[in-house]
Amino acid sequence: MDNQQVLSILAVVVTAYPTVELTDEMATLWEQMLSDVTFESAQRSLKQHIKTSKWPPTIADIRANTSTANDILRIETQQCFALIDSWERGVVPLLKDGETND
């Protein structure tokens, strides 16, 4: 996200959580830490956070629900399932009722 997008996200945070005080340092840090997150992903994540939490979000809260994080987990899960499938194909035929399954 660029500076204007981060400021837009932070404006929503301040509106939803009136106790949050926006500072230049906060905006700079959020921009640095969310530079690889798309604006759309951050918006979705913030919307979900506002619906489910009475506390203001942290940078980690916004990152945790982004599609980037979810995509990484999805890919890692698919790789694990592929590995399990390859193990299953490589094992000796299992016994069923004392006989081999050929």
Side-chain angles (χ1 to χ4, degrees):
M1 288 191 294
D2 63 29
N3 182 265
Q4 288 301 317
Q5 293 170 327
V6 170
L7 291 176
S8 176
I9 292 292
L10 289 172
V12 175
V13 171
V14 170
T15 301
Y17 301 96
T19 59
V20 173
E21 184 178 329
L22 180 59
T23 64
D24 289 339
E25 292 81 10
M26 180 180 180
T28 300
L29 181 62
W30 278 59
E31 183 180 359
Q32 291 171 354
M33 296 296 108
L34 297 174
S35 64
D36 61 334
V37 174
T38 66
F39 181 60
E40 294 76 19
S41 294
Q43 284 181 310
R44 281 192 305 272
S45 183
L46 179 57
K47 184 177 179 179
Q48 183 61 32
H49 184 88
I50 291 170
K51 288 179 180 180
T52 60
S53 179
K54 61 183 178 180
W55 306 109
T58 64
I59 292 168
D61 291 328
I62 299 300
R63 292 188 67 82
N65 295 318
T66 63
S67 62
T68 302
N70 292 339
D71 289 344
I72 291 169
L73 289 174
R74 186 175 303 109
I75 290 167
E76 288 175 351
T77 301
Q78 290 170 345
Q79 290 171 342
C80 288
F81 282 133
L83 185 58
I84 291 169
D85 287 342
S86 71
W87 290 341
E88 287 177 347
R89 286 189 300 273
V91 297
V92 177
L94 299 175
L95 297 177
K96 181 178 180 183
D97 299 327
E99 298 178 20
T100 60
N101 293 329
D102 293 327

